[in-house]
Structures are given as structure tokens and as C-alpha cells.
Amino acid sequence: MKVLTAEGAAQQLKTPLLVNGRGSQALHDAVVAYRANRRSGTRATKTKGTVRGSGKKPWAQKGTGRARAGYASSPIWRGGGVVFGPQPRDFSKKLPKKVKRLALRKALSGRIVEGAVLVSETIDLPQPKTKELVRRLDSWDRKETLLVVVEGHESPVWLAARNHPLIAVVTAAEVNAEDLLWPDRIVLEEPTLPILDQRLAVGGKQS
């Protein structure tokens, strides 16, 4: 494995890197959207209409000396409904394709400038075992988190990395800007570079 420098990226990628402030807002918006889209939005409280209990009037309107009461599920009663409590909702945010593309380009550019991106040949393992994968990743510090970007789902790296708590695997067609930000190191298989370059180009497919 070798470090992908800015000069090397300029030779292997047709799309130039972003080394200035352009794309920072797109990257922020993309990360916020990706995290919001993972929220389930299923928390809920019971209102006066859904709380358990009868709708029968507790006592007569007049003549008892007590305050008027229409139903036992009133929010002001113990065991009654909740007023303005959380209800199921959709937190998802939609991003334009151009914003996704710009965010991915900005994230990849920043990690390359940091020196956190490594390029490796296609990782062929004799057996899809974690020990074999760790042996192939000779430049990797065993205390660092690692993201391996592979060409497709048929790669044996998927099976080899699933038991390792510090290694994650994603395909070049599915990796997004947020994926590139969390690991300490990123390993790109050489066949993934044209795929990423195509996604960074205008009109490229975004996930």
C-alpha cells in the first residue's frame, strides 16, 4: 500500500481536488442529512384520545361541590394523556445530486491532503479470514480505525472484515461523504479509482 498524495490524485483522478474552502457547506449539509435519515422517528406519547380509560364522565356536572370534569383521561389528571408530546415523524432530508457530489469531492479531497488515504492493489485473500486481511494490510496501525473501499460486493474483504471492530468495508459505488470522515485511514483498491472519478464528475451517480 502507498499513500495517495495530492500530486498522485491529480494524475489518477480527472476531477481536481478541492483544497480551498469551497464545498465546506455542502459537506456539512450532507453529513447532517445522512445522520437525520438514520433517525427512526418512532418515539411517541399517548394523548387524551389514546390513553387507556373510559370516556365516561367521572361525576355529575353540578351538585357535587367538585370542579367540573368531562373525562378521566384529561391531561391534568394523573394517568391522563400528554399535551404536545413527541409523535412519530419523518426526520429525513433530501439533498440535490450536485450537493452530494460536491460533498463527496470535498471529503475525499480533505482526507487525501491529510495523507489519510492509501491505495492498494485488489485485495485477494486465499481465505476470507480476518487474520489474512490484517496480514495484507501491512501499513495499517492496528490501533487505528480503517475503511476499505472495494470494487464490488463479491470481494472476500466483506467476510474477512466483519469480525474486526476497527475495520469497515464499503463499495466505491456506495461510499458517501460521511463514510470518508470517521476512519483514521482509508484504503482504496486501485480498481475503485475510476469508479470514484466517475462519481465525482458532472452527472455521476450519487448515493
Side-chain angles (χ1 to χ4, degrees), residues 21 40 47 54 66 82 90 104 147 150-151 175 198 205 207:
S40 61
T47 64
S54 171
R66 289 182 289 187
V82 177
D90 182 12
L104 180 63
L147 176 68
V150 297
E151 185 177 6
V175 65
Q198 182 180 6
K205 181 179 179 181
S207 60

Side-chain angles (χ1 to χ4, degrees), residues 159-201:
L159 295 176
R162 63 182 178 176
N163 290 332
H164 203 292
L166 299 180
I167 303 178
V169 185
V170 67
T171 63
E174 297 172 340
V175 65
N176 59 43
E178 186 186 14
D179 294 333
L180 299 177
L181 296 181
W182 70 266
D184 296 316
R185 295 285 179 179
I186 302 169
V187 175
L188 304 178
E189 290 185 339
E190 288 185 354
T192 65
L193 294 176
I195 301 176
L196 291 174
D197 197 20
Q198 182 180 6
R199 291 186 59 192
L200 296 177

Side-chain angles (χ1 to χ4, degrees), residues 74-108:
S74 171
I76 64 175
W77 281 32
R78 180 178 180 181
V82 177
V83 180
F84 305 129
Q87 294 296 318
R89 54 168 291 192
D90 182 12
F91 289 95
S92 63
K93 299 177 181 292
K94 292 184 178 180
L95 283 178
K97 293 181 180 179
K98 291 183 178 179
V99 175
K100 290 183 180 180
R101 181 168 57 247
L102 182 59
L104 180 63
R105 183 179 167 194
K106 179 65 175 180
L108 183 60

Side-chain angles (χ1 to χ4, degrees), residues 7 16 23 30 48 58 81 114 120 125 152 203 207:
E7 294 76 13
K48 65 179 182 180
E114 291 176 13
S120 171
L125 303 177
S207 60

